[in-house]
């Protein structure tokens, strides 16, 4: 039996891990982690999630190219020029799992309508719940991980790399491995919004401008400690200040989701 840390200790100590020792995850640990994901709650017992375990090095490289928002040619040229490229952990982590929204099995078994927006929400929620169970289980065993939403930079290409049929959509990746605790990038937790902003009672409570300003300064100080001139407001502006993957709806509809 594997030894694991307590649930509360594990969850409160969470941080994204982006550098790993290179040690593999044992078969026993991986099976236990995946079983923890399989045991998660699922809407109406639909089990609308599938996981692709990516072990092929060429596929890992191709998925890293997507996360870097580059074509194969751009990626190769950047490497040749000695440029630093992010998301190296997609290739170097012990395990790389891709979580997919999956209505393919349902269409195999019955004549169903899975093109409703509600089905899209069900699949996305089920995938997120399963992934969080898996990450929490991994962390309780002394492992670490980081989610890879940038898989959706070219979601159609990602689906082709993974051989996904209609009614299956790749939502995000998860790197898992043994943390390299000598690396500073793994040692600190980013400050979260205070509970008074996250939790309302009975009716929605609009966040206080003063609380948000104080929090923004906390985030700025965190990033300054890592040598970055950044705060939460700037992150929000960078993410939501323009188009946000405008091709997403077309791909979802091509795969049989979100048509009505």
């Amino acid at each position: 039996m594997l030894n694991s840390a307590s649930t509360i200790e594990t969850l409160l100590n969470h941080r994204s891990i982006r550098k790993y020792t290179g040690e593999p995850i044992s078969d026993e640990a991986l099976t236990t982690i995946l079983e923890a994901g399989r045991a998660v709650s699922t809407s109406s017992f639909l089990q609308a999630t599938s996981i692709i375990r990516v072990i092929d090095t060429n596929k890992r490289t191709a998925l890293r190219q997507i996360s870097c928002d580059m074509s194969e040619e751009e990626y190769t040229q950047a490497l040749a020029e000695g440029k630093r490229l992010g998301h190296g952990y997609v290739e170097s982590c012990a395990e790389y799992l891709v979580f997919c929204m999956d209505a393919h099995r349902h269409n195999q078994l019955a004549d169903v309508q899975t093109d409703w927006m509600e089905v899209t929400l069900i699949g996305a929620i089920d995938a997120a719940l399963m992934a969080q169970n898996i990450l929490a289980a991994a962390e309780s065993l002394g492992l670490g991980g980081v989610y890879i939403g940038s898989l959706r930079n070219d979601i159609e290409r990602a689906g082709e790399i993974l051989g996904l049929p209609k009614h299956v959509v790749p939502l995000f990746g998860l790197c898992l491995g043994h943390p390299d605790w000598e690396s500073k990038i793994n040692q600190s937790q980013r400050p979260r919004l205070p509970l008074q902003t996250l939790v309302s009672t009975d009716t929605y409570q609009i966040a206080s401008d003063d609380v948000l300003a104080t929090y923004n300064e906390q985030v700025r100080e965190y990033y300054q400690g890592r040598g970055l001139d950044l705060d939460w407001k700037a992150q929000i502006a960078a993410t939501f200040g323009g188009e946000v993957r405008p091709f997403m709806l077309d791909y979802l509809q091509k795969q049989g989701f979100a048509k009505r």
Side-chain angles (χ1 to χ4, degrees):
M1 176 65 77
L2 297 167
N3 293 320
S4 62
S6 74
T7 301
I8 297 298
E9 177 187 1
T10 297
L11 296 178
L12 291 179
N13 284 325
H14 166 73
R15 66 208 62 200
S16 293
I17 299 298
R18 293 179 171 84
K19 190 170 182 182
Y20 303 93
T21 65
E23 179 185 353
I25 297 173
S26 71
D27 290 342
E28 181 184 13
L30 181 60
T31 298
T32 299
I33 291 164
L34 294 174
E35 287 288 6
R38 192 167 71 103
V40 76
S41 299
T42 170
S43 179
S44 300
F45 199 51
L46 291 169
Q47 303 177 84
T49 307
S50 285
I51 301 170
I52 310 296
R53 180 186 176 211
V54 185
I55 60 175
D56 183 283
T57 55
N58 291 327
K59 290 180 184 288
R60 289 246 199 140
T61 298
L63 292 172
R64 181 187 179 188
Q65 292 165 3
I66 291 174
S67 292
C68 291
D69 207 12
M70 291 179 170
S71 67
E72 183 176 357
E73 293 75 16
E74 291 171 331
Y75 182 83
T76 302
Q77 181 64 31
L79 285 179
E81 294 173 357
K83 293 182 179 178
R84 291 184 61 187
L85 299 175
H87 299 89
Y89 30 87
V90 170
E91 294 187 80
S92 63
C93 64
E95 295 289 338
Y96 186 52
L97 308 177
V98 176
F99 290 81
C100 302
M101 173 170 61
D102 187 351
H104 191 274
R105 292 183 290 263
H106 309 106
N107 282 276
Q108 281 182 279
L109 288 169
D111 182 12
V112 291
Q113 300 178 23
T114 55
D115 58 349
W116 293 94
M117 189 65 206
E118 173 64 11
V119 179
T120 305
L121 292 175
I122 287 170
I125 292 167
D126 267 20
L129 292 173
M130 179 178 282
Q132 191 57 28
N133 252 33
I134 284 174
L135 179 56
E139 289 177 337
S140 78
L141 298 177
L143 301 169
V146 62
Y147 289 114
I148 310 295
S150 53
L151 177 79
R152 300 190 301 277
N153 286 344
D154 190 339
I155 193 168
E156 184 161 6
R157 185 171 156 217
E160 292 170 354
I161 291 167
L162 298 170
L164 302 184
K166 188 173 181 179
H167 301 121
V168 183
V169 170
L171 295 178
F172 54 88
L174 175 61
C175 297
L176 292 174
H178 293 268
D180 177 1
W181 292 118
E182 297 298 318
S183 173
K184 290 184 178 180
I185 197 172
N186 291 336
Q187 293 175 2
S188 58
Q189 289 179 301
R190 277 187 281 195
R192 290 332 199 235
L193 283 165
L195 280 179
Q196 68 189 96
T197 299
L198 291 173
V199 182
S200 300
T201 301
D202 290 334
T203 58
Y204 184 85
Q205 178 179 316
I206 295 175
S208 160
D209 289 340
D210 289 341
V211 170
L212 289 179
T214 298
Y215 174 70
N216 196 59
E217 186 58 32
Q218 290 174 343
V219 175
R220 184 195 305 277
E221 291 173 0
Y222 166 83
Y223 281 121
Q224 284 178 341
R226 295 181 59 179
L228 299 172
D229 182 18
L230 189 62
D231 59 21
W232 198 51
K233 181 179 178 180
Q235 282 191 281
I236 292 171
T239 303
F240 294 150
E243 291 184 334
V244 184
R245 297 185 180 123
F247 48 81
M248 193 63 64
L249 181 59
D250 285 345
Y251 180 73
L252 287 172
Q253 293 179 342
K254 176 185 175 182
Q255 291 299 94
F257 291 95
K259 293 184 178 180
R260 49 183 168 167

